[in-house]
């Protein structure tokens, strides 16, 4: 009888053990999901390396960004791309723009992301995140509709709602080429999702409206995991600032516009704290490229000091931008790092933190920075960065070393970027640790380093491509020839 009772008890006991295991597993899954942070990406347009207080600006006051840096990590070697559209494409896809597929297999001066590319928003949405884009998109083309330049129609398959965003409020394109708004040459359309709200928005109110929309999105989704991509239109011309900020900065309208963005950053951080989700929200702040420095812009552009160069070229001032990462209790506070970090790394890092799976059918150029940002490792997972102007590979950085390749002045294969590109007659080598301003070419003193970096250049040309090379790893999703717009340069190389 005793053995019979024990025999009956064992199946019950085994079932209880399995139930406990399942409950523990479910609790572990819930705990892992609860640990996933909200993700906020704040991107400013054309903000220079020297245009933020904690990066040395003498005239522009940015107390909120400065506080964000004091409470997180300030990266002094944070890289974007050298122009708006390619920079946003790199951020969204985690790939160098030359790798990214575009409609009809072409390459645009401002990258037009193919509908079959996979964005960070799509990955996060699949992982259960609410996703919102507030501000400038600029990945569906610039438009040239009946209302004027900058207006639609825009292909719906390449707009934010078709590229992983649940909610979109902002502008499909940028807000012009002139110092202040000139509706005869450019009109700034504003959309809410697929609805066009305005065909010629007031640029003076854009920053305030974008901040308000971002705060509202956070409030609406405070009880779930969310991803907010707050892509301010400012400080790209045409410049504008609201009445509360206009005329307040000694740096003129550019300073006014920057200080209003800083106020917006403060509003976002204050909202996270008020809602009790501050310590479970990772916030990244950066710029899409260096400052626009051109005679037609004048003092309506920013400063990259002490860096050499500016938007559209590939000296440090064109791509090295302010970079700050903040996540209270998870990212070390008050840290300054000169490790190489890029906007390419946002997609794999955010995916890792969100528990999202990276695509396995394509190469991603970004690397997962999550352990490095959190201080779990002191070794940065990235040691190199390639500098492209349009499809032209012009330099590589490896640790402290930057090798700049020879090029003519205003290369005709660099699209309209070329007007800002100077000549380099022979390979130049700079130690950026000792010479951040790229003043002293030391190539003759280090032929071994030049030779080593040239091997990296050759590998990049093979994989990614160059103005006269189609990379083996470049993506083309449509039928027909690859990069037909570059045929004359590719044919020139093959002769």
């Amino acid at each position: 009888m005793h053995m019979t009772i024990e025999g009956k008890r064992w199946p019950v006991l085994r079932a209880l053990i399995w139930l406990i295991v399942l409950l523990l597993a479910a609790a572990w899954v819930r705990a892992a999901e609860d640990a996933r942070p909200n993700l906020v990406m704040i991107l400013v347009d054309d903000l220079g390396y020297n245009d933020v207080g904690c990066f040395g600006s003498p005239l522009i006051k940015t107390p909120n960004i400065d506080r964000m840096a004091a409470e997180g990590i300030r990266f002094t070697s944070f890289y974007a791309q050298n122009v708006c559209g390619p920079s946003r494409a790199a951020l969204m896809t985690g790939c160098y723009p030359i790798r990214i597929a575009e409609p009809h297999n072409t390459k645009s001066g401002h990258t037009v992301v193919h509908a079959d590319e996979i964005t960070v928003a799509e990955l996060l949405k699949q992982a259960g995140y609410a996703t919102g884009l507030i501000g400038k998109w600029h990945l569906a083309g610039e438009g040239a509709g009946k209302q004027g330049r900058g207006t639609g129609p825009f292909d719906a398959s390449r707009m934010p709602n078709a590229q992983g965003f649940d909610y979109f409020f902002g502008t499909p394109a940028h807000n012009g080429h002139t110092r202040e708004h000139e509706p005869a040459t450019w009109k700034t359309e504003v959309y809410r999702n697929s609805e066009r709200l305005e065909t010629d928005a007031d640029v003076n109110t854009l920053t305030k409206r974008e901040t308000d929309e971002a705060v509202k999105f956070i409030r609406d989704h405070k009880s779930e995991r969310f991803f907010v991509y707050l892509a301010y239109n400012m400080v790209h011309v045409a410049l504008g600032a609201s009445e509360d900020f206009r005329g307040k900065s000694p740096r003129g309208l550019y300073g006014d516009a920057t200080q209003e963005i800083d106020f917006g950053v403060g509003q976002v951080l204050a909202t996270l704290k008020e809602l009790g989700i501050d310590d479970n929200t990772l916030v990244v702040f950066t710029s899409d490229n260096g400052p626009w420095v051109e005679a037609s812009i004048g003092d309506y552009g920013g400063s990259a000091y002490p860096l050499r160069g500016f938007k559209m070229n590939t000296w440090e001032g064109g791509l090295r931008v302010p970079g700050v990462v903040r996540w209270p209790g998870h990212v070390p506070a008050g840290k300054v790092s000169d490790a190489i970090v890029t906007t390419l790394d946002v997609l794999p890092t955010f995916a890792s933190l969100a528990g999202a799976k990276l695509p396995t059918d394509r190469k991603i150029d970004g690397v997962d920075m999550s352990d490095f940002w959190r201080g779990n490792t002191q070794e940065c997972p990235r040691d190199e960065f390639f500098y492209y102007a349009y499809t032209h590979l012009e330099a590589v950085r490896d640790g402290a070393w930057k090798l700049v390749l020879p090029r003519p002045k205003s290369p005709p294969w660099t699209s309209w970027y070329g007007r800002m590109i100077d000549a380099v007659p022979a390979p130049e080598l700079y130690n950026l640790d000792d010479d951040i301003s790229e003043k002293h070419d030391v190539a003759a003193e280090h032929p071994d380093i030049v030779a080593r970096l040239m091997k990296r250049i050759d590998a990049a040309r093979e994989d990614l491509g160059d103005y006269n090379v189609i990379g083996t790893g470049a993506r083309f999703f449509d039928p027909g020839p690859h990069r037909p717009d570059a045929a004359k340069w590719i044919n020139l190389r093959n002769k």
Side-chain angles (χ1 to χ4, degrees):
M1 178 67 69
H2 177 72
M3 294 298 294
T4 303
I5 291 172
E6 289 298 318
K8 290 181 178 179
R9 285 178 178 175
W10 172 241
V12 174
L13 181 59
R14 184 168 57 185
L16 286 172
I17 291 172
W18 275 109
L19 179 61
I20 291 170
V21 169
L22 291 172
L23 289 173
L24 288 173
W28 182 85
V29 169
R30 285 195 299 272
E33 290 180 343
D34 290 342
R36 298 185 305 163
N38 302 307
L39 300 163
V40 178
M41 180 74 220
I42 302 176
L43 187 72
V44 186
D45 198 323
D46 290 2
L47 185 73
Y49 190 82
N50 187 236
D51 292 330
V52 176
C54 58
F55 281 83
S57 177
L59 297 177
I60 302 173
K61 299 184 184 304
T62 55
N64 294 296
I65 300 168
D66 298 350
R67 177 169 58 87
M68 183 180 167
E71 296 171 350
I73 307 175
R74 180 168 65 89
F75 288 101
T76 56
S77 286
F78 198 106
Y79 289 90
Q81 299 296 309
N82 70 332
V83 175
C84 310
S87 195
R88 290 155 204 278
L91 171 64
M92 283 290 102
T93 65
C95 296
Y96 286 102
I98 194 172
R99 188 187 298 283
I100 298 167
E102 298 192 41
H104 313 299
N105 299 335
T106 61
K107 277 293 163 191
S108 304
H110 283 301
T111 310
V112 179
V113 174
H114 196 285
D116 290 339
E117 286 288 349
I118 297 173
T119 70
V120 61
E122 289 176 297
L123 295 179
L124 295 177
K125 185 174 182 178
Q126 291 169 8
Y129 277 61
T131 56
L133 164 60
I134 314 298
K136 176 180 169 181
W137 177 235
H138 207 188
L139 295 179
E142 295 199 352
K146 293 181 180 179
Q147 298 293 332
R149 294 188 65 196
T151 61
F154 297 95
D155 188 327
S157 71
R158 298 194 292 269
M159 289 286 277
N161 294 118
Q163 293 290 309
F165 287 99
D166 299 317
Y167 181 74
F168 168 50
F169 173 88
T171 67
H174 55 83
N175 43 295
H177 300 287
T178 55
R179 288 158 55 97
E180 295 190 49
H181 180 50
E182 293 183 8
T185 61
W186 192 272
K187 297 182 188 297
T188 303
E189 290 194 341
V190 172
Y191 279 67
R192 176 172 281 114
N193 297 319
S194 59
E195 179 188 3
R196 184 171 60 187
L197 301 179
E198 299 160 39
T199 58
D200 190 18
D202 180 2
V203 297
N204 290 306
T205 63
L206 273 180
T207 297
K208 182 181 185 307
R209 295 171 71 186
E210 288 164 354
T211 297
D212 291 346
E213 287 280 343
V215 167
K216 183 178 185 303
F217 187 89
I218 291 169
R219 291 187 182 281
D220 289 346
H221 297 279
K222 63 181 183 296
S223 299
E224 55 188 311
R225 292 293 175 264
F226 59 77
F227 165 50
V228 177
Y229 174 30
L230 174 52
Y232 283 113
N233 284 68
M234 297 298 142
V235 284
H236 189 297
V237 296
L239 282 183
S242 65
E243 287 300 318
D244 289 341
F245 294 89
R246 203 172 181 96
K248 299 296 175 63
S249 169
R251 183 57 177 77
L253 185 55
Y254 183 90
D256 298 341
T258 304
Q259 291 182 179
E260 184 164 17
I261 287 172
D262 178 76
F263 179 80
V265 171
Q267 292 290 99
V268 169
L269 297 179
T271 301
L272 296 174
K273 194 165 188 178
E274 175 196 334
L275 297 176
I277 56 176
D278 189 40
D279 61 354
N280 198 29
T281 304
L282 171 71
V283 184
V284 179
F285 174 91
T286 191
S287 176
D288 65 344
N289 46 247
W292 192 349
V293 177
E294 202 165 4
S296 62
I297 302 300
D299 61 0
Y300 279 46
S303 168
Y305 179 84
L307 306 179
R308 176 180 179 179
F310 30 77
K311 176 180 178 178
M312 290 184 260
N313 66 37
T314 53
W315 298 111
E316 290 296 287
L319 301 90
R320 196 193 292 206
V321 289
V324 179
V325 174
R326 175 188 183 270
W327 183 10
H330 301 270
V331 167
K335 182 177 179 179
V336 179
S337 172
D338 196 45
I340 302 172
V341 180
T342 80
T343 54
L344 298 165
D345 306 324
V346 169
L347 180 144
T349 304
F350 280 17
S352 175
L353 293 169
K357 294 182 179 180
L358 292 177
T360 58
D361 64 340
R362 63 197 65 197
K363 185 171 182 178
I364 302 296
D365 296 306
V367 296
D368 179 5
M369 291 280 175
S370 57
D371 281 340
F372 180 62
W373 287 0
R374 287 183 291 188
N376 296 337
T377 177
Q378 298 304 307
E379 185 175 350
C380 179
R382 173 178 290 284
D383 64 353
E384 73 178 5
F385 178 72
F386 295 103
Y387 301 68
Y388 276 89
Y390 189 39
T391 59
H392 191 198
L393 179 55
E394 295 190 346
V396 61
R397 178 172 176 181
D398 174 16
W401 297 104
K402 179 179 179 180
L403 178 67
V404 179
L405 301 175
R407 60 177 182 249
K409 178 179 172 60
S410 303
W413 49 78
T414 52
S415 184
W416 39 267
Y417 310 2
R419 72 180 192 268
M420 306 297 286
I421 297 174
D422 53 354
V424 176
E428 297 179 359
L429 182 69
Y430 297 93
N431 185 324
L432 296 177
D433 283 354
D434 300 333
D435 181 21
I436 194 174
S437 302
E438 298 175 284
K439 292 181 178 179
H440 307 291
D441 172 22
V442 294
E445 301 166 33
H446 300 281
D448 55 330
I449 295 174
V450 172
R452 177 169 60 83
L453 295 187
M454 280 304 303
K455 290 181 179 179
R456 290 205 167 192
I457 289 290
D458 291 341
R461 281 185 174 139
E462 173 70 19
D463 176 30
L464 292 163
D466 204 341
Y467 77 98
N468 57 355
V469 180
I470 295 177
T472 57
R475 292 195 285 269
F476 302 95
F477 293 147
D478 293 336
H482 296 172
R483 283 174 55 189
D485 45 333
K488 56 185 175 181
W489 310 119
I490 294 170
N491 290 338
L492 179 66
R493 175 179 183 267
N494 292 333
K495 287 180 180 179

